[in-house]
Amino acid sequence: MAAPDTQSTSPAYGASVDSNISPANATTVCTWDGKQELDDETWKPLASYAYQGPAELTTGPGPIDRDILHMVRRLSVEEKIGQMIQIQVGLIIDCNGELNETAVEYWLDKWKVGSFLESPGNHNGRYSWYSPQKFAEFTDKVQEIALRRGSKIPVIWGLDSVRGANYVKGATIFPAGIATAATFDPQFAFDAGRIAAKDSRAAGTHWAFAPVLDLAVNKLWSRTYENFGEGPYLSSQMARLSIQGFQGNYKQDRSRVAACLKHFIGYGYPFDGSDRGNRHIAPHELLEYYVPPFKAAIDAGSATAMESYGVVNGEAVMLSHYYLEQLLRRQLGFEGMLVTDWGEINSQANMYFTAKDVKQATRMALQQTSVDMSMVADDDSFGQATTELIKDGTISESRLDKSVARILQLKKDLGLFDHPFADKRLASTVGSQQDVEAARNTAREAITLLKNDRQVLPLKRSEKVLFVGPTLNSTRYMGGGWNVHWQGPSDADGDGVYQGFGDTVLQGIKSITGAAPEYLPGVDIDGNATIDIDRVVEAAKLADKVVVGLGEHTYAENLGNIGQLLLPEKQLELVSTIAEQAKKPVVVVLVQGRPRGLGSVVQQADAIVNAYLPGAYGGLPIAEILYGKTNPSGRLPVTYPATEAQASSTIWQPSYMDYSPQWPFGFGLGYSKITYSNVTVSHAQLRLNQPVTVKVALTNHGPFAQKESVQLYSRQQYRAGYAPDLYRLRKFAKVMLNVNETKTVEFVVEAEELAFWDRRLRKRVEPAPVTLTINPYTAKDVSAVVQLEADPHYVLDEADY
């Protein structure tokens, strides 16, 4: 079953709020019924604006400036502790859904808090989705109070702008991370970050808790859609451009935000598929597969990082000296500010039982790790515990100084000491048609054609097509979680919450065909029951073809936990009934955050299109794919399991293991016939510091122009003492081919890229023949072999444990 719907006012991350912790309602007369309203703010977004693309030169955190060190020395212990506290916005909202200035003053005066997070729309704010104007009024008022109360230091405001500024009304909601990865073009990761940054700054927020860089290994996991897939190299390339998009030159450019690489580390392989489940990952495998995307983000200059929920190999990440000091700081060289995830210090005592109480958990976090800020979120426990630890001498003031210096340096880098308020000029760009097209272009190149028997697709405008299924007539289901609200819009919100900032598949079809499509719902989104199935069958019999939209309800984190991959029974039954009784060609469109099981639908459907979660503007791109206005070019960034047992299968698993998924990593079809030939390698041997060049020619035989993802994989034929990867993606490129056009693509492969981490945490190369393959598991599979030559005792890098 998909996750149950939750109210839009639910606290983010499933946290509970103690309303007694601050005087939020102490002097307020409550007159509001608690039913959120639509923000009636209107504006005419600019059609376009100046847009700077990615630049190789990026800035990142570095040494602490002298004036910041002086500022730290002038602060009292209480002020230092306050800078390390981040609380959620619900603690400063009153019973009428408005900002409670008394509560703001309390948190600033009593606890000197340095940071707030989240959207009022997620925490009992009056409006379900705050416009940039009203959001900025809210954050600016908090900032105004912060400058005259407490420490008189600007606060930094964090927001989960993970796919655009998804909590800001009108901001373009981009396809989910998994869809962005399916484009195999990192430019789209840049676009999402760049646009999210300016829209976040328009709302007066300065810090995006993104990008999400966990490898999506266990496909049951509810956060699969947030990430860039299962491939270390693909995810690393997306990470690099995403950081550039969010940050750019954030120390100068005030339309940028601080990025936050998350969740460090190993979060994407919960043993049982449940969110926060234990992860069993050997240290050398952690370095080999899970660390590279984070390393890429650090090298790209990520200003901040967030540690991961839960435990790895039974050890709490939040309290781990190895993960958060030795690995993150010393080995990977991260110099920025490190924040906890939501309430994660407290969770050591009340969830994981890795600490006696909150005080012990706080002590261990401060003594054993380099964490700088506690997203304590709901209470003053971190402030209380840290104050006691300082007073009894357990924690030194110098430990606070290190963290506070990094926090204040970040605020300076973001310009908060000079320009602490929202830039209201940016509001006119929120929802720009230019941004909408960027999101739609991402979806156009992400949507993946998995099956197309007898060329059922593309549809013809002359054909009579019946459209069935809940995902074809919904904006919110295309958005998924982290979309308007944490769990996505509620049933009460419906699609009305978007107020026109989005579309549906049916709307997209109408824009292409010029006529309203024939549509029947057929089944509810949770698959509890079919709807008027006899009418659906009769209408299908009269149609030339039937398009069925299946998928998932919106969800995020633990509320998206599932016990099996298979889609709800009634959804699958809908397809079977149509196929068996109407006997017409059936096209299935999947709108889903993870690769759900399809059962007999794989055989019964004539065509299958995976749209992932294409975002609020995904309707038109899906329609364009169906009608051939866009030739599909997306490729799977994850392995699509055929059985429950394959939930954690990956393209890089040991080569001796069975790999027979429904569809392999990197798979995807187009409407044109592309052939590959003439694979050449510049040298027969591959040695350290002596790269080889691999060339391959590809030709488009038509009938349409086609964008083609060219993927180069390595497969070492044997590796002494260690099972080699089945296939490992090493390079990729996306090229445009006109009909009858041939292009040659070149890749440079280095022996260093084929090095691996062994159990002693040494990175080295084992000599052996290596097969270099273009697009394995497809009809376009072509290969060449090189001899990898190296001294197996030569160590390229090593790590401590």
Side-chain angles (χ1 to χ4, degrees):
M1 297 286 290
D5 188 43
T6 59
Q7 294 299 312
S8 61
T9 54
S10 296
Y13 308 93
S16 61
V17 177
D18 182 357
S19 60
N20 297 316
I21 200 68
S22 64
N25 301 313
T27 59
T28 304
V29 177
C30 302
T31 59
W32 183 45
D33 63 4
K35 184 179 180 180
Q36 288 188 315
E37 307 165 9
L38 295 179
D39 183 342
D40 60 2
E41 188 77 40
T42 61
W43 70 99
K44 185 177 181 180
L46 295 175
S48 62
Y49 56 90
Y51 184 86
Q52 182 179 357
E56 286 301 316
L57 181 61
T58 58
T59 57
I64 306 299
D65 293 342
R66 183 174 299 178
D67 60 332
I68 296 298
L69 294 175
H70 287 315
M71 183 182 296
V72 172
R73 285 195 287 269
R74 291 197 300 269
L75 295 179
S76 67
V77 169
E78 291 76 14
E79 289 172 326
K80 291 174 183 178
I81 293 172
Q83 286 301 305
M84 298 173 68
I85 297 174
Q86 183 179 58
I87 65 166
Q88 56 97 346
V89 68
L91 298 185
I92 55 172
I93 292 177
D94 66 21
C95 58
N96 292 315
E98 304 289 354
L99 176 67
N100 187 302
E101 295 184 27
T102 302
V104 178
E105 292 170 353
Y106 165 81
W107 284 102
L108 291 169
D109 288 344
K110 173 68 175 177
W111 291 106
K112 316 292 191 292
V113 296
S115 181
F116 292 87
L117 83 152
E118 262 281 8
S119 161
N122 274 340
H123 296 274
N124 299 313
R126 180 169 288 269
Y127 304 107
S128 53
W129 203 23
Y130 279 66
S131 64
Q133 295 85 354
K134 284 191 170 63
F135 210 134
E137 289 176 10
F138 194 102
T139 56
D140 279 357
K141 187 61 181 179
V142 172
Q143 200 71 276
E144 177 187 316
I145 297 171
L147 294 175
R148 57 181 172 80
R149 303 294 289 256
S151 301
K152 300 181 176 59
I153 295 174
V155 296
I156 182 171
W157 200 293
L159 201 63
D160 281 290
S161 296
V162 295
R163 38 199 306 219
N166 36 272
Y167 288 161
V168 178
K169 172 187 168 182
T172 302
I173 297 177
F174 274 72
I178 192 174
T180 304
T183 67
F184 276 76
D185 186 346
Q187 173 65 44
F188 293 115
F190 176 89
D191 291 342
R194 180 67 189 96
I195 292 165
K198 73 167 180 65
D199 290 353
S200 297
R201 288 301 286 248
T205 67
H206 329 99
W207 182 12
F209 299 135
V212 187
L213 303 179
D214 313 297
L215 289 193
V217 176
N218 191 323
K219 313 310 184 298
L220 287 163
W221 189 38
S222 60
R223 308 194 73 164
T224 294
Y225 66 89
E226 299 179 45
N227 303 280
F228 294 127
E230 73 184 38
Y233 180 75
L234 176 61
S235 184
S236 296
Q237 297 308 305
M238 294 291 171
R240 182 173 60 86
L241 267 293
S242 181
I243 295 295
Q244 289 187 23
F246 279 111
Q247 284 189 189
N249 186 7
Y250 72 105
K251 297 180 182 180
Q252 300 291 330
D253 186 348
R254 299 310 172 210
S255 67
R256 304 285 187 145
V257 296
C260 183
L261 58 90
K262 69 178 190 183
H263 308 85
F264 193 84
I265 182 77
Y267 191 21
Y269 190 19
F271 184 71
D272 63 353
S274 66
D275 190 43
R276 304 199 195 191
N278 186 28
R279 288 91 80 181
H280 302 291
I281 307 172
H284 62 289
E285 292 182 329
L286 193 80
L287 293 170
E288 181 70 23
Y289 304 110
Y290 298 86
V291 164
F294 292 95
K295 173 62 173 170
I298 291 169
D299 290 346
S302 184
T304 73
M306 184 184 295
E307 57 79 37
S308 169
Y309 283 135
V311 299
V312 176
N313 302 322
E315 181 184 11
V317 175
M318 178 67 258
L319 306 179
S320 173
H321 177 82
Y322 173 70
Y323 294 125
L324 300 186
E325 180 64 39
Q326 181 65 36
L327 180 56
L328 178 64
R329 295 289 190 186
R330 299 180 191 174
Q331 184 173 340
L332 300 182
F334 177 66
E335 296 183 287
M337 195 266 276
L338 175 61
V339 65
T340 76
D341 210 330
W342 187 286
E344 191 64 354
I345 291 179
N346 290 17
S347 292
Q348 306 309 309
N350 58 38
M351 181 181 292
Y352 313 120
F353 310 114
T354 55
K356 174 185 175 182
D357 51 30
V358 170
K359 183 176 180 180
Q360 185 186 51
T362 304
R363 175 184 64 75
M364 295 171 71
L366 292 173
Q367 284 184 335
Q368 297 172 185
T369 82
S370 60
V371 68
D372 299 310
M373 182 178 287
S374 173
M375 190 190 291
V376 64
D378 288 327
D379 56 40
D380 56 15
S381 57
F382 178 82
Q384 289 189 22
T386 306
T387 299
E388 292 174 11
L389 291 167
I390 289 289
K391 285 182 178 179
D392 65 23
T394 304
I395 299 295
S396 68
E397 187 174 350
S398 62
R399 169 62 182 88
L400 305 184
D401 291 348
K402 293 178 182 179
S403 288
V404 174
R406 284 192 283 257
I407 293 167
L408 295 179
Q409 183 67 54
L410 176 65
K411 292 182 177 184
K412 178 184 178 181
D413 291 343
L414 288 165
L416 299 188
F417 293 127
D418 298 319
H419 306 285
F421 302 108
D423 186 344
K424 295 178 174 57
R425 296 170 300 178
L426 292 174
S428 63
T429 72
V430 174
S432 164
Q433 188 60 35
Q434 178 175 308
D435 297 347
V436 172
E437 279 305 299
R440 283 178 168 156
N441 285 337
T442 306
R444 287 174 178 123
E445 296 201 28
I447 296 168
T448 305
L449 180 62
L450 299 175
K451 182 180 180 181
N452 193 23
D453 285 359
R454 299 185 301 281
Q455 285 71 55
V456 168
L457 292 177
L459 303 173
K460 300 178 179 61
R461 292 178 61 182
S462 59
E463 293 172 328
K464 179 178 174 60
V465 182
L466 173 66
F467 296 89
V468 182
T471 58
L472 301 183
N473 193 31
S474 171
T475 304
R476 65 183 176 126
Y477 297 152
M478 293 192 300
W482 308 102
N483 153 40
V484 178
H485 297 302
W486 171 46
Q487 293 291 323
S490 68
D491 289 342
D493 287 324
D495 278 0
V497 73
Y498 293 99
Q499 299 181 67
F501 292 104
D503 65 12
T504 66
V505 177
L506 296 185
Q507 290 172 345
I509 290 163
K510 183 177 180 180
S511 71
I512 290 174
T513 65
E518 183 181 5
Y519 170 73
L520 295 169
V523 68
D524 67 278
I525 188 64
D526 293 318
N528 294 321
T530 53
I531 302 171
D532 206 353
I533 191 64
D534 292 338
R535 184 183 174 194
V536 171
V537 171
E538 290 305 309
K541 289 178 179 178
L542 299 175
D544 296 315
K545 296 175 182 176
V546 182
V547 175
V548 184
L550 307 180
E552 298 183 292
H553 202 293
T554 64
Y555 59 85
E557 298 191 48
N558 62 309
L559 294 183
N561 286 348
I562 55 176
Q564 62 176 4
L565 281 172
L566 203 66
L567 274 172
E569 180 181 356
K570 294 297 181 180
Q571 286 200 30
L572 302 179
E573 182 181 302
L574 174 65
V575 177
S576 298
T577 301
I578 294 171
E580 292 169 2
Q581 297 187 29
K583 300 188 184 306
K584 295 295 176 71
V586 175
V587 176
V588 170
V589 177
L590 301 170
V591 178
Q592 57 185 1
R594 52 196 156 192
R596 298 297 297 266
L598 303 177
S600 61
V601 167
V602 174
Q603 290 75 41
Q604 293 169 325
D606 298 276
I608 300 175
V609 176
N610 190 13
Y612 309 95
L613 294 177
Y617 290 98
L620 180 60
I622 292 173
E624 291 174 345
I625 294 287
L626 293 175
Y627 278 91
K629 187 173 180 180
T630 298
N631 197 342
S633 63
R635 300 292 182 262
L636 287 174
V638 293
T639 296
Y640 203 117
T643 67
E644 299 292 331
Q646 297 172 353
S648 294
S649 290
T650 64
I651 190 69
W652 42 263
Q653 68 188 29
S655 59
Y656 72 89
M657 295 176 62
D658 175 65
Y659 186 75
S660 53
Q662 196 67 66
W663 294 285
F665 176 94
F667 180 83
L669 304 171
Y671 293 147
S672 294
K673 180 182 179 181
I674 307 292
T675 60
Y676 286 71
S677 60
N678 303 325
V679 179
T680 62
V681 181
S682 59
H683 301 286
Q685 287 80 38
L686 178 58
R687 304 175 187 274
L688 295 176
N689 300 313
Q690 297 181 27
V692 300
T693 300
V694 181
K695 296 182 181 181
V696 63
L698 53 158
T699 302
N700 181 5
H701 300 279
F704 307 103
Q706 174 87 51
K707 281 191 173 181
E708 177 72 2
S709 292
V710 186
Q711 305 164 31
L712 174 67
Y713 296 76
S714 69
R715 179 181 175 121
Q716 194 158 336
Q717 296 182 14
Y718 57 85
R719 193 163 63 188
Y722 291 85
D725 302 320
L726 178 67
Y727 283 101
R728 188 75 172 270
L729 180 66
R730 299 298 183 183
K731 305 285 182 178
F732 60 86
K734 199 162 191 177
V735 297
M736 182 68 188
L737 290 169
N738 294 317
V739 177
N740 295 323
E741 184 179 11
T742 298
K743 285 186 178 178
T744 298
V745 175
E746 293 187 10
F747 296 112
V748 175
V749 179
E750 299 177 347
E752 289 82 354
E753 295 171 324
L754 276 60
F756 73 102
W757 288 94
D758 68 16
R759 190 177 63 82
R760 295 171 61 186
L761 303 190
R762 302 174 304 173
K763 192 172 187 179
R764 57 191 183 82
V765 176
E766 276 287 346
V770 175
T771 303
L772 300 176
T773 301
I774 305 292
N775 298 355
Y777 297 107
T778 71
K780 298 171 283 192
D781 182 330
V782 290
S783 301
V785 177
V786 296
Q787 180 65 36
L788 179 60
E789 297 285 2
D791 177 357
H793 302 292
Y794 180 74
V795 177
L796 281 73
D797 195 6
E798 55 187 327
D800 295 326
Y801 187 71

